[in-house]
Amino acid sequence: MSLPFLPFSRPTIDEETIAAVGEVLRSGWITSGPKVQAFEAALSAYFGGRPVRTFNSGTCTMEIALRIAGIGPGDEVITTPISWVATANVIIEVGATPVFADIDPVTRNIDLDQVEAAITPRTKAIIPVYLSGLPVDMDRLYAIAAKHKLRVVEDAAQAFGSLWKGQRIGSFGDFVSFSFQANKNLTTAEGGCLVLNNEDEARLAEKYRLQGVTRSGLDGIDVDVLGGKYNMTDVTAAIGLGQMKVIDQVNAHRKALAEHYFRCFGPDFEAQTGAQLPQPAFETSNWHLFQIILPDQGPGTRARFMERMKAEHNIGLGYHYAPIHLFTMYRERGFKEGMFPVSEKIGRLTVTLPMFYAMTLADVERSVAAVKAVLAS
Ligand SMILES: *Cc1c(COP(=O)(O)O)cnc(C)c1O
């Protein structure tokens, strides 16, 4: 194999950040402390001054948002089948019932017409997902939420730095959840944050994050809600602070890579191959992922494609995502094939091409040439 392995994602941590992590490790204070506070302040500034709290994942963020909203047994929460399974698992985790709405074949995000059709008197919240960093129609989303008095927990795990009409995702809206898992545009290795509406919600988030504890004075302590153990450490917050310094550069570079992808695929690629490119959403997306839908060649289409991309071109692809409703645990709750046909088709044929900060335009050219070669033979 002459060319080096090209993965679909790879984190970049600069030397300054590595040094900052070393300082924390030598400081005598390695768990939640001043770095977490500084990271939360930086995030709050990034999101227009809204309250922000950090956590050890972008999963517990959503679970805690649902708990703050008082959602539990008997309540329905509407979400998309095409997401990381965490998005639906948190609904079950709080005792509520997941209800799926199919996706739009062009944006691959939850179809807001289908959301409206799925609303019942038990519906309490919507969890939209901004797949690959592409927001849904945010005006329509919040109009639906207002009309039906629903809470929104935005799964913006992939959308750090994405925009809607020039405003950052997270700087407006209801609860907005981000993930800092290793593949995300901004990473802390593992971690997440939740943007909240007010200081009361932020205080409740702090309780759910740490065993329900409230401290007062030098030795005052009480517990009045059932919390868990979800706090971020200063070690990972130091990574986040380093990443905050370069995030705008990172997202600008991803955008340049995405533009080059479109240039290299060219205007005839879809007509010639039957494959489908993503939306050219250069005003909104942070280009977290670059996903194409393969032309359908029956069962095993994607596995064969991924195998050849690896064997013949040394390129590692991902797939985001398999439809959640067809997992065993969800089938056991009554979901089955045929319920969400667009999700089922896209879930079977979507592949994620390489897209990360350390990639070059030449890597994009290599990736596109490989896709074209595999599809042509
Ligand atoms: C990454 C991701 C999550 C979960 O984040 P973790 O930090 O891994 O818990 C949830 N939803 C989506 C869409 C994601 O991409």
Side-chain angles (χ1 to χ4, degrees), residues 185-323:
N185 290 28
L186 187 150
T187 185
T188 60
E190 297 288 356
C193 77
L194 184 62
V195 185
L196 303 120
N197 294 291
N198 53 56
E199 289 306 321
D200 285 345
E201 285 182 0
R203 262 191 299 280
L204 204 43
E206 288 173 6
K207 289 190 203 178
Y208 282 123
R209 170 169 79 176
L210 207 83
Q211 313 293 0
V213 162
T214 308
R215 294 183 184 277
S216 55
L218 274 182
D219 63 350
I221 179 166
D222 191 25
V223 173
D224 61 353
V225 296
L226 180 61
K229 171 71 176 174
Y230 301 122
N231 55 304
M232 178 177 276
T233 72
D234 266 21
V235 178
T236 54
I239 306 175
L241 281 166
Q243 295 260 297
M244 282 297 280
K245 290 185 190 160
V246 293
I247 185 62
D248 290 343
Q249 241 168 282
V250 167
N251 285 344
H253 184 64
R254 284 171 172 272
K255 185 174 173 183
L257 294 172
E259 281 165 346
H260 202 51
Y261 260 116
F262 279 95
R263 247 189 324 268
C264 293
F265 276 121
D268 303 327
F269 172 74
E270 292 179 316
Q272 278 169 1
T273 61
Q276 187 199 334
L277 295 175
Q279 284 282 89
F282 292 104
E283 300 299 313
T284 52
S285 181
N286 68 354
W287 296 101
H288 171 60
L289 302 173
F290 195 96
Q291 300 177 291
I292 64 169
I293 311 300
L294 297 172
D296 193 354
Q297 287 159 348
T301 295
R302 181 171 56 204
R304 281 194 301 275
F305 182 81
M306 291 175 77
E307 199 180 301
R308 289 190 59 196
M309 286 290 283
K310 178 68 180 65
E312 296 166 23
H313 301 278
N314 206 20
I315 296 175
L317 304 182
Y319 61 97
H320 301 86
Y321 291 96

Side-chain angles (χ1 to χ4, degrees), residues 12-328:
T12 297
I13 310 291
D14 58 33
E15 289 304 322
E16 196 186 328
T17 303
I18 294 170
V21 169
E23 260 173 57
V24 171
L25 291 173
R26 281 186 284 265
S27 73
W29 192 282
I30 59 176
T31 186
S32 311
K35 295 293 179 192
V36 165
Q37 281 185 6
F39 187 32
E40 288 177 346
L43 288 164
S44 177
Y46 189 81
F47 296 122
R50 296 185 70 196
V52 180
R53 293 297 179 271
T54 56
F55 301 84
N56 59 18
S57 78
T59 299
C60 67
T61 43
M62 293 188 281
E63 183 186 325
I64 287 170
L66 292 171
R67 289 196 195 284
I68 293 171
I71 290 163
D75 299 333
E76 293 175 357
V77 179
I78 301 172
T79 193
T80 167
I82 296 294
S83 182
W84 178 228
V85 65
T87 313
N89 280 353
V90 295
I91 300 169
I92 299 175
E93 195 67 51
V94 301
T97 303
V99 172
F100 293 106
D102 209 351
I103 60 171
D104 177 292
V106 175
T107 66
R108 307 161 196 170
N109 278 328
I110 197 165
D111 179 334
L112 295 175
D113 289 331
Q114 302 283 337
V115 169
E116 278 214 282
I119 292 170
T120 75
R122 289 167 175 255
T123 308
K124 289 286 158 49
I126 309 169
I127 309 186
V129 175
Y130 311 143
L131 194 67
S132 80
L134 178 70
V136 299
D137 178 336
M138 302 299 289
D139 298 334
R140 175 100 196 276
L141 170 71
Y142 278 101
I144 294 170
K147 181 172 165 202
H148 299 275
K149 298 192 166 46
L150 306 177
R151 297 303 299 262
V152 178
V153 178
E154 299 180 33
D155 183 351
Q158 303 189 353
F160 200 99
S162 295
L163 301 171
W164 176 254
K165 296 185 173 167
Q167 282 187 285
R168 282 188 185 131
I169 294 298
S171 68
F172 63 98
D174 195 352
F175 296 107
V176 190
S177 166
F178 293 91
S179 166
F180 305 135
Q181 185 268 343
N183 287 343
K184 302 303 199 288
N185 290 28
L186 187 150
T187 185
T188 60
E190 297 288 356
C193 77
L194 184 62
V195 185
L196 303 120
N197 294 291
N198 53 56
E199 289 306 321
D200 285 345
E201 285 182 0
R203 262 191 299 280
L204 204 43
E206 288 173 6
K207 289 190 203 178
Y208 282 123
R209 170 169 79 176
L210 207 83
Q211 313 293 0
V213 162
T214 308
R215 294 183 184 277
S216 55
L218 274 182
D219 63 350
I221 179 166
D222 191 25
V223 173
D224 61 353
V225 296
L226 180 61
K229 171 71 176 174
Y230 301 122
N231 55 304
M232 178 177 276
T233 72
D234 266 21
V235 178
T236 54
I239 306 175
L241 281 166
Q243 295 260 297
M244 282 297 280
K245 290 185 190 160
V246 293
I247 185 62
D248 290 343
Q249 241 168 282
V250 167
N251 285 344
H253 184 64
R254 284 171 172 272
K255 185 174 173 183
L257 294 172
E259 281 165 346
H260 202 51
Y261 260 116
F262 279 95
R263 247 189 324 268
C264 293
F265 276 121
D268 303 327
F269 172 74
E270 292 179 316
Q272 278 169 1
T273 61
Q276 187 199 334
L277 295 175
Q279 284 282 89
F282 292 104
E283 300 299 313
T284 52
S285 181
N286 68 354
W287 296 101
H288 171 60
L289 302 173
F290 195 96
Q291 300 177 291
I292 64 169
I293 311 300
L294 297 172
D296 193 354
Q297 287 159 348
T301 295
R302 181 171 56 204
R304 281 194 301 275
F305 182 81
M306 291 175 77
E307 199 180 301
R308 289 190 59 196
M309 286 290 283
K310 178 68 180 65
E312 296 166 23
H313 301 278
N314 206 20
I315 296 175
L317 304 182
Y319 61 97
H320 301 86
Y321 291 96
I324 296 170
H325 69 286
L326 298 182
F327 291 143
T328 300

Side-chain angles (χ1 to χ4, degrees), residues 6 257 261 315 354 356 358-368:
L6 180 62
L257 294 172
Y261 260 116
I315 296 175
F356 53 92
M359 251 176 94
T360 63
L361 296 183
D363 290 329
V364 172
E365 287 154 24
R366 181 184 156 195
S367 173
V368 171

